[in-house]
Amino acid sequence: MSVAREAPKVVVFVTTETTTLDAVLGRLGADARCVSEGRVFVGKNRASRGDVPLGAGVTVRLTREAPRSGLDVVVLHRSEHLVVVDKPAGIPTIADGRARAGSLLSEAARAVGLPEGRLHPTSRLDRDVSGVVTFALTPLAREELARAREEGAYDRRYVALAARAPSPKEGMCDAPLGPGRDPRHRRVDPKGEPSRSKYAVIAEAPSGTGGARAALLALGPETGRTHQLRVHTSHMGAPLLGDPTYGGPSRLALANGKILGFSRVMLHCAKVRFVVGGEALALESPVPAALLSTWASLGGGEGAWEEALAWTVFSTGARS
């Protein structure tokens, strides 16, 4: 086989004999990880395995360095069955068609030293949402977590900042969801999939604009549809700050004239609890500085966060 040309980041090879992709990568000192990270193309197709046979005259392209998200992924828990990580905003849980690397999946696999194919997300957070994400490593974990979700035994607590408080201030949003006009988005659709979200208004900001006051919400999804909490809060008239896709403002003008801008959706998965393999787990992700500082800038009290994070918040009775 011969090297056709070499670029600073991409090497292009043309084989001169029958071989395998593994043999090509081995000659270059590359390992199987570059295949799982989506850095290898055979012809025009991205390679999915290394044992692919190659005839003479086949072009192989290898990107030397994997694209990195530039964001640190903190491992909250690692066991035989699970990897649980703290997802920062700004990174997708699963990469889109443009590349496999640079996703939470690839960064989590790198952090624990496992092939990406071993990690299976049991829930997904949108790119601009942060918090706890659980990856199953075994069929047992996948089955038990799926069953827990069906039986309502997979608890998740989200906190969010909304443009205004919904009414009533506590309850269940039971609104089916279906595809939106843009297939990447969702909307309330009577013929859509059943979707249920518990919610409670914990506090409202002391002052607001346009007669509305921003609100700190506690949210507990009972189902796990795409964009569920974002659509449900918008449907209740309380779109999330930083979520213009579903009607939320990208900035607010404060009473003192200051403009408060949002670079992310103000939604965070702070806590999860479930049982896998006989082990009861309760894992937490600290509320990000972006949410804390935004709430403080709105005049919200620091103590409201503790109430928002309490597992008992939905059993305290109706709020007026």
Side-chain angles (χ1 to χ4, degrees):
M1 63 190 76
S2 61
V3 178
R5 67 178 170 84
E6 184 167 342
K9 293 184 178 180
V10 178
V11 181
V12 181
F13 303 87
V14 178
T15 60
T16 58
E17 58 189 17
T18 300
T19 183
T20 66
L21 180 57
D22 280 332
V24 172
L25 298 176
R27 176 164 175 166
L28 295 170
D31 57 31
R33 189 176 66 183
C34 63
V35 175
S36 65
E37 289 175 344
R39 293 191 277 131
V40 181
F41 280 78
V42 176
K44 295 182 179 181
N45 300 316
R46 193 189 304 274
S48 59
R49 43 191 287 195
D51 60 354
V52 176
L54 304 177
V58 174
T59 301
V60 177
R61 289 176 174 82
L62 165 67
T63 301
R64 284 290 193 185
E65 298 294 332
R68 300 298 302 276
S69 67
L71 299 171
D72 292 328
V73 173
V74 176
V75 178
L76 301 174
H77 175 81
R78 166 74 189 276
S79 69
E80 173 190 356
H81 298 292
L82 300 171
V83 171
V84 185
V85 301
D86 188 356
K87 176 189 175 299
I91 180 173
T93 302
I94 302 296
D96 56 26
R98 293 171 293 180
R100 291 198 186 109
S103 66
L104 183 70
L105 173 62
S106 64
E107 296 296 327
R110 188 191 306 274
V112 298
L114 291 175
E116 290 182 31
R118 287 284 311 281
L119 279 67
H120 301 275
T122 63
S123 62
R124 301 185 185 187
L125 297 183
D126 303 331
R127 177 187 290 271
D128 291 328
V129 176
S130 56
V132 183
V133 174
T134 302
F135 293 95
L137 299 179
T138 63
L140 172 67
R142 296 176 70 178
E143 293 169 7
E144 290 193 351
L145 287 173
R147 187 180 311 116
R149 290 177 67 129
E150 292 175 359
E151 297 174 353
Y154 189 157
D155 291 327
R156 290 166 289 164
R157 169 58 46 79
Y158 288 72
V159 290
L161 299 178
R164 60 190 63 84
S167 180
K169 292 187 177 181
E170 183 173 1
M172 173 78 75
C173 182
D174 189 351
L177 300 182
R181 291 183 178 179
D182 184 325
R184 297 171 300 175
H185 303 154
R186 294 296 181 269
R187 65 182 178 88
V188 172
D189 181 353
K191 298 181 180 179
E193 297 180 296
S195 307
R196 297 178 301 279
S197 305
K198 293 180 288 188
Y199 72 93
V201 177
I202 304 303
E204 293 180 74
S207 61
T209 58
R213 294 188 294 163
L216 171 58
L217 309 180
L219 302 168
E222 291 197 347
T223 54
R225 311 303 180 197
T226 299
H227 298 183
Q228 177 176 314
L229 295 178
R230 297 165 62 189
V231 178
H232 276 175
T233 52
S234 179
H235 178 65
M236 293 188 292
L240 302 184
L241 301 182
D243 192 9
T245 298
Y246 295 110
S250 56
R251 63 180 185 172
L252 287 179
L254 303 181
N256 60 8
K258 179 181 178 181
I259 301 297
L260 194 61
F262 314 113
S263 60
R264 55 160 293 173
V265 178
M266 293 292 154
L267 177 64
H268 176 69
C269 180
K271 302 168 67 172
V272 301
R273 61 181 181 181
F274 48 75
V275 177
V276 168
E279 180 181 13
L281 293 172
L283 300 163
E284 301 184 12
S285 164
V287 179
L291 273 74
L292 296 175
S293 62
T294 296
W295 181 241
S297 296
L298 293 167
E302 183 178 341
W305 292 106
E306 183 176 352
E307 182 181 357
L309 294 170
W311 285 118
T312 56
V313 70
F314 296 127
S315 59
T316 55
R319 297 165 188 264
S320 58

